[in-house]
Amino acid sequence: MVIIMLGAPASGKGSVAEILSKEFNIPAISSGDIFRKNISEGTELGKKANEYMTKGSLVPDDITVNMIASRLTEDDVKTGLILDGFPRTVKQAEELDRILAEKNRKIDVVVNLETPEEELLERIVTRRVCTNSSCKEVYNVVMKPTKVEGVCDKCGSPVTQRDDDTLEKAKNRLEVYHTQTAPVAEYYKATGALYSTVLSKSVNRMKNEVANDVIEYLKNK
């Protein structure tokens, strides 16, 4: 099974992917985590990616595709996977189709999350992340605060704000998303794989409701 998570930054892709990962027993792969791993390890691809990520810009297609292609060769994705944050451009989507076709695999569903922009900005600037690379639990100082300020509930490691989660960089990331990533939804709509749904507190429809609907959709497909 191959699931793609689409949506603007902080739309809830990772949270929904985590639930789907447990339900179908397949790994959720975040492109952001792959980038940060390469950056922390000082790889050449990581150094190049960091130049763009620190500005809130999209990492060029060739760098991103090479990182993802390498990850898809690992053993844990043989039975299925969930891609969170990739593809982010139509070219990346085309490259992913090529990579999957070479492995005789196809995309089962592309989940496109829709959230009001003002809500996205609020989520980004109030988001906090566990600094333990083995944990990476995500919190929110408004919606999901830690029990002890600045300390992860799960592992006790420090919790911090990502460098790119400032208001200025968040606005830039959303602008980049609308111009470069939103067209990916149209690409998948044309293939019949797109499943668009709202995830927003304004309509009391959050990660659990969305994930349950996706699970039922896949089971009845």
Side-chain angles (χ1 to χ4, degrees):
M1 178 178 290
V2 178
I3 300 172
I4 307 296
M5 299 298 306
L6 290 185
S11 58
K13 299 187 298 296
S15 297
V16 174
E18 183 179 0
I19 298 172
L20 298 179
S21 174
K22 292 177 181 178
E23 174 68 23
F24 297 110
N25 195 29
I26 56 178
I29 300 171
S30 164
S31 61
D33 287 343
I34 294 175
F35 291 151
R36 283 183 281 273
K37 182 175 184 292
N38 276 268
I39 291 170
S40 66
E41 293 177 353
T43 67
E44 285 305 310
L45 288 174
K47 291 176 183 177
K48 292 178 181 178
N50 191 44
E51 294 176 7
Y52 296 89
M53 291 180 68
T54 54
K55 299 174 185 176
S57 302
L58 280 184
V59 178
D61 291 333
D62 58 337
I63 299 174
T64 303
V65 170
N66 284 335
M67 285 186 182
I68 298 295
S70 176
R71 180 66 179 86
L72 296 185
T73 64
E74 298 180 22
D75 290 339
D76 64 335
V77 302
K78 288 183 177 179
T79 59
L81 66 147
I82 302 168
L83 280 174
D84 166 13
F86 181 88
R88 294 191 179 187
T89 67
V90 171
K91 183 179 179 181
Q92 289 179 11
E94 293 171 342
E95 284 296 301
L96 178 61
D97 284 345
R98 179 186 60 78
I99 293 169
L100 291 175
E102 290 176 352
K103 300 176 182 296
N104 294 316
R105 305 176 77 171
K106 66 179 183 65
I107 296 170
D108 291 271
V109 66
V110 177
V111 181
N112 182 43
L113 302 181
E114 300 173 344
T115 304
E117 185 162 319
E118 62 272 16
E119 193 170 332
L120 293 172
L121 289 172
E122 179 186 11
R123 290 183 195 173
I124 292 172
V125 298
T126 56
R127 179 166 55 189
R128 301 293 184 270
V129 183
C130 176
T131 55
N132 181 351
S133 60
S134 299
C135 179
K136 298 178 294 187
E137 183 71 8
V138 178
Y139 298 92
N140 186 289
V141 296
V142 176
M143 300 172 61
K144 184 188 173 183
T146 55
K147 294 177 181 177
V148 177
E149 186 176 354
V151 179
C152 178
D153 295 348
K154 287 190 173 183
C155 71
S157 298
V159 172
T160 187
Q161 183 179 40
R162 291 174 181 164
D163 291 340
D164 57 348
D165 278 353
T166 63
L167 182 59
E168 181 181 356
K169 290 182 179 178
K171 288 181 177 179
N172 183 57
R173 287 162 64 194
L174 288 179
E175 183 178 347
V176 170
Y177 169 78
H178 289 306
T179 57
Q180 297 188 42
T181 305
V184 177
E186 291 300 314
Y187 174 87
Y188 284 122
K189 183 177 181 179
T191 69
L194 192 71
Y195 179 95
S196 290
T197 184
V198 174
L199 193 158
S200 171
K201 64 180 182 181
S202 63
V203 293
N204 196 30
R205 181 172 167 75
M206 300 301 287
K207 62 179 183 179
N208 290 320
E209 289 79 12
V210 170
N212 288 336
D213 284 350
V214 174
I215 291 167
E216 286 303 310
Y217 171 79
L218 286 168
K219 288 181 176 180
N220 295 323
K221 189 177 179 183

